[in-house]
Amino acid sequence: MDTALSFDPAAVRIPSGHFIDGELVMGAGETIAVARPSDASGIADLPIADAATVDRAVENAAEAQRASGWGTMAPRERARLMRRFADHIEANGVELGRLEALSSTRPITDAMAYDVPSTAEAFRFFAEYCDKLGGEVAATRHEHLGLVVSEPYGVVAAITPWNFPLSMVSWKAGAAMAAGNAVVVKPSEMTPFSTVRLAELAVEAGLPAGLFNVVQGDGRTTGDALCRHPRIGKISFTGSTATGAAIMAASAASGVKPLTLELGGKSPQLVFADIPDIDRTAGHVAGSILYNAGQVCVAGSRLIVEAGVHDALLANLVKRFEAVRPGVTWNAATGFAPIVSRRQMERIDDIVQRTLKAGATALTGGRPMAGQGDGAFYEPTILIGVTPDMPAAHEEIFGPVLTVQSFHGEAEGIALADHPDYGLCAGVHTADLGRAMRAMRAVQAGTVWINRYGRTADFVIPTGGFKRSGIGKDLGREAVIANLRHKSVLIEF
Ligand code: ADP
């Protein structure tokens, strides 16, 4: 732990406004009061972009993309500018990390270890694709030449959630920009500020003004207007399944725009009794549900554990769950995040209480955490005696709540791992390679981690869900391709 990372939240500049054409734009009219998750104290009032402000941001982005030649310049030049942007993010990393920590659930130690460096690195990663995806020569008859030429859409809309504000926007803006598009981002109204600072850094680094615009506001007004704008060529969204469905409907009603949707999850951690190192597996299971207090779409929230290792694994997990270090996000000693809002904490608690009422038992935790002032913190919770129909095993919680189901034999374990609706990720822990591969083949999930859980900094592995967990992929080559449209050309000679 680097205690030097602690900071005074009062000393952090808050860029509260829209960001259009390289300028911070203060809104008029209605606002949203934004509070710090750590202690519920107010940060700033956020303007709500109406349809006219959204229109201004999108038209400006379209003009910036055209006039700057972002989509037509030498791809290596685009890559160079994106790398310069990444360098500039790192050069301003402390300031950016403090802003992220102050205004979201990310403890400063995590923000500096993960959010800031991975945001910079995502832009670098996508920059490398600028001159590597050149389309295709098709296998046509000899007297023809068939080409598949890729082109940017123009302006891509990115709508991001509150759990990892910086890194989510870097995935979406990075892929869109590498493909030659401008972006208009609408961050979550609960964590809106670091995205504006990121957009400022883009301009300071020499990217064309207007290429990365930000509109602030809620989903119903601002998000919806952005999705319906006729100049938006593609929408990229991460958030809940219900909102993803609303965005699909808005897209359908306004010109059938293509979508990338990363939605909810209820991902299993399937642990077999043959694991060679219980402590190591427990580390992956606990980390997957305690990191960011479980406010992670890929959280491994359902432990499916073979009976032979059940007791030993749970004893290890309870120790880990009881050792968390909650606190305010600007204290470097904090290791356990607050919940983003009191409302979200009440949602978590409602699911836990309904599950307890249905017959489950809390092995540890099971209620809001006392002694943390006005911040919303939830006790790390392990629920045992859970059946698949109970609310906590079925509904996405987005909190530090692990349900436990026990099984006998491979077939039963694999059957329990699948969720009827969600299919974002799965963890499989076993020493038997054949069993790991059978489970990998059987499980319906967009990502399967074997003998580990969670993404690494290998951005090359795409991420996205099956079933109601989403459509399309973020990260990887697939994310850049999704931000390009393909024109078929047939030449006869
Ligand atoms: P949560 O309520 O947990 O933040 P959401 O999926 O509702 O999850 O929100 C994710 C993002 O989607 C936020 O930026 C939010 O403002 C935005 N959003 C919510 N509703 C809509 C909508 N109807 N159209 C577009 N964006 C929306």
Side-chain angles (χ1 to χ4, degrees), residues 139-196:
T140 54
R141 62 190 67 187
H142 199 66
E143 67 273 25
H144 287 168
L145 183 63
L147 304 175
V148 182
V149 178
S150 45
E151 296 180 353
Y153 282 100
V155 187
V156 169
I159 298 180
T160 53
W162 46 261
N163 54 350
F164 296 91
L166 277 178
S167 96
M168 287 292 109
V169 72
S170 72
W171 294 7
K172 296 182 185 302
M177 287 160 67
N181 300 286
V183 282
V184 178
V185 184
K186 194 207 86 64
S188 166
E189 59 272 40
M190 287 191 275
T191 56
F193 305 119
S194 57
T195 301
V196 177

Side-chain angles (χ1 to χ4, degrees), residues 2-57:
D2 183 355
T3 50
L5 288 178
S6 295
F7 66 95
D8 173 7
V12 177
R13 174 187 156 250
I14 308 293
S16 175
H18 316 298
F19 191 76
I20 301 173
D21 200 20
E23 311 264 339
L24 195 59
V25 176
M26 307 316 283
E30 263 192 273
T31 58
I32 299 170
V34 184
R36 315 197 287 223
S38 293
D39 63 0
S41 95
I43 308 176
D45 288 333
L46 191 73
I48 299 177
D50 58 10
T53 306
V54 169
D55 180 60
R56 191 177 142 203

Side-chain angles (χ1 to χ4, degrees), residues 136-434:
E136 213 178 295
V137 176
T140 54
R141 62 190 67 187
H142 199 66
E143 67 273 25
H144 287 168
L145 183 63
L147 304 175
V148 182
V149 178
S150 45
E151 296 180 353
Y153 282 100
V155 187
V156 169
I159 298 180
T160 53
W162 46 261
N163 54 350
F164 296 91
L166 277 178
S167 96
M168 287 292 109
V169 72
S170 72
W171 294 7
K172 296 182 185 302
M177 287 160 67
N181 300 286
V183 282
V184 178
V185 184
K186 194 207 86 64
S188 166
E189 59 272 40
M190 287 191 275
T191 56
F193 305 119
S194 57
T195 301
V196 177
R197 185 64 193 124
L198 195 63
E200 288 178 344
L201 291 172
V203 174
E204 289 171 23
L207 267 70
L211 198 73
F212 183 154
N213 283 341
V214 181
V215 288
Q216 303 289 10
D218 60 10
R220 213 175 323 148
T221 309
T222 311
D224 187 67
L226 183 58
C227 293
R228 287 175 194 269
H229 196 286
R231 282 259 208 191
I232 293 296
K234 181 234 155 86
I235 302 167
S236 181
F237 168 77
T238 295
S240 62
T241 300
T243 300
I247 287 176
M248 278 190 97
S251 154
S254 63
V256 287
K257 303 177 180 88
L259 301 146
T260 299
L261 304 174
E262 210 222 294
L263 307 177
K266 193 72 206 171
S267 301
Q269 292 270 22
L270 180 58
V271 179
F272 290 95
D274 64 4
I275 47 167
D277 183 344
I278 290 177
D279 191 54
R280 187 167 167 275
T281 303
H284 283 299
V285 172
S288 85
I289 192 70
L290 296 181
Y291 191 71
N292 208 28
Q295 300 162 104
V296 183
C297 43
V298 302
S301 52
R302 290 187 298 128
L303 174 61
I304 317 278
V305 56
E306 195 163 15
V309 74
H310 176 275
D311 293 358
L313 185 66
L314 284 182
N316 189 309
L317 286 173
V318 168
K319 272 195 223 136
R320 291 170 182 273
F321 274 53
E322 290 177 349
V324 297
R325 288 172 284 109
V328 293
T329 47
W330 46 89
N331 183 347
T334 295
F336 184 67
I339 304 301
V340 71
S341 68
R342 195 148 285 274
R343 201 176 128 250
Q344 171 61 14
M345 191 173 72
E346 284 161 6
R347 256 202 80 241
I348 295 170
D349 196 44
D350 173 60
I351 298 174
V352 170
Q353 298 316 320
R354 280 191 284 127
T355 305
L356 293 174
K357 205 176 268 176
T361 305
L363 192 58
T364 186
R367 58 187 167 235
M369 200 180 263
Q372 297 297 325
D374 289 330
F377 286 80
Y378 203 83
E379 289 181 350
T381 298
I382 298 177
L383 299 176
I384 55 171
V386 172
T387 53
D389 54 309
M390 289 184 185
H394 196 77
E395 299 172 29
E396 185 176 41
I397 300 179
F398 238 64
V401 180
L402 182 71
T403 62
V404 183
Q405 292 163 262
S406 183
F407 67 91
H408 292 90
E410 189 178 306
E412 190 189 356
I414 289 175
L416 278 172
D418 259 324
H419 187 280
D421 302 326
Y422 291 122
L424 194 53
C425 306
V428 179
H429 305 266
T430 174
D432 180 333
L433 180 63

Side-chain angles (χ1 to χ4, degrees), residues 62-122:
E63 178 55 20
Q65 195 264 356
R66 192 197 62 75
S68 68
W70 183 254
T72 50
M73 68 175 62
R76 289 206 66 73
E77 175 61 10
R78 194 157 72 234
R80 195 182 65 81
L81 287 167
M82 286 183 68
R83 282 195 298 268
R84 216 158 75 180
F85 177 28
D87 293 345
H88 196 59
I89 292 169
E90 278 171 354
N92 290 272
V94 172
E95 180 215 351
L96 191 61
R98 288 179 178 180
L99 179 59
E100 184 77 326
L102 164 73
S103 53
S104 78
T105 63
R106 309 289 299 130
I108 185 64
T109 311
D110 289 343
M112 295 310 294
Y114 171 74
D115 302 73
V116 171
S118 85
T119 295
E121 201 54 28

